[in-house]
Amino acid sequence: FISTNIFSQNSTVNPYSWESLDTQSKELYRKGYIDEAIIVGATALKQAEKEFGMANANYAVSCNQLGIYYSEKSDTTNAMSYYSLALYIHTKVLEKKHDDYAAVCHNLSSLFFKMGKYKKALNFGAEAYFVMKEKYGKRYVPLIPTYYLLGQIYQTLGDYNSAIMMYAYAVS
């Protein structure tokens, strides 16, 4: 059994709040404890529903995190379910120009790429790219993984010029 409480005994943070549970699940994932991260992440999702309701960005963030964890385990069915729910909530609650929306699009792109659905991967990757580029410019450092992913997609599709351009953006 792994203790999921990463806060000290003197912490004033409620260890059962959504914020605390979300942080704990991310820390477990970072340390490689994916199954434990899923358990705590599912608890965070339930807590987000209690604290904020389902039509809330924090609920969508928890869905996205669970999608990440399931994707890491190659459980594409659960990953797709959580990513799709996160995307739906983000499109209803946030503007499409929000970082969290772009993150879900990037993650869906990555999942579709792993599944061999390259056109869908390209569509979601391009959406993530355009949202972040419009908001921050094309030299925005968090765009690097999206550039790299788009490079992989274009390379797989045989569009080598676009692949080289994306890889060049990633390293510049």
Side-chain angles (χ1 to χ4, degrees):
F1 177 76
I2 297 170
S3 173
T4 58
N5 188 354
I6 61 171
F7 299 101
S8 70
Q9 300 254 359
N10 299 328
S11 176
T12 59
V13 175
N14 175 356
Y16 303 106
S17 69
W18 171 80
E19 182 179 9
S20 177
L21 291 165
D22 181 63
T23 300
Q24 290 176 49
S25 76
K26 289 174 183 173
E27 183 66 15
L28 287 165
Y29 175 76
R30 188 185 67 75
K31 290 180 177 179
Y33 300 115
I34 298 168
D35 291 329
E36 293 82 355
I38 289 171
I39 293 167
V40 176
T43 305
L45 183 66
K46 289 176 188 171
Q47 189 61 31
E49 184 177 0
K50 285 179 190 174
E51 289 182 31
F52 313 110
M54 291 176 70
N56 180 275
N58 292 335
Y59 187 87
V61 165
S62 286
C63 290
N64 187 46
Q65 283 304 124
L66 284 166
I68 291 168
Y69 306 155
Y70 280 110
S71 182
E72 182 71 23
K73 289 181 58 99
S74 297
D75 183 343
T76 56
T77 301
N78 277 318
M80 184 64 68
S81 294
Y82 283 111
Y83 286 148
S84 296
L85 183 54
L87 187 70
Y88 176 78
I89 294 167
H90 281 308
T91 57
K92 298 298 179 194
V93 175
L94 302 171
E95 295 180 18
K96 285 189 174 183
K97 295 179 178 160
H98 195 278
D99 296 6
D100 290 342
Y101 170 78
V104 174
C105 288
H106 174 91
N107 293 339
L108 277 164
S109 176
S110 180
L111 184 63
F112 280 123
F113 182 74
K114 288 179 188 176
M115 294 168 67
K117 297 181 178 184
Y118 304 120
K119 296 286 186 184
K120 285 186 176 187
L122 183 59
N123 289 339
F124 280 106
E127 178 74 4
Y129 165 75
F130 287 121
V131 168
M132 298 302 281
K133 182 182 145 218
E134 184 177 313
K135 189 170 180 181
Y136 298 106
K138 65 175 151 179
R139 298 288 181 225
Y140 184 56
V141 172
L143 261 172
I144 292 171
T146 301
Y147 285 138
Y148 183 74
L149 177 59
L150 286 169
Q152 289 179 304
I153 296 165
Y154 281 125
Q155 183 177 351
T156 302
L157 291 171
D159 184 348
Y160 300 112
N161 289 332
S162 295
I164 290 169
M165 182 177 67
M166 289 296 124
Y167 289 140
Y169 283 147
V171 298
S172 65

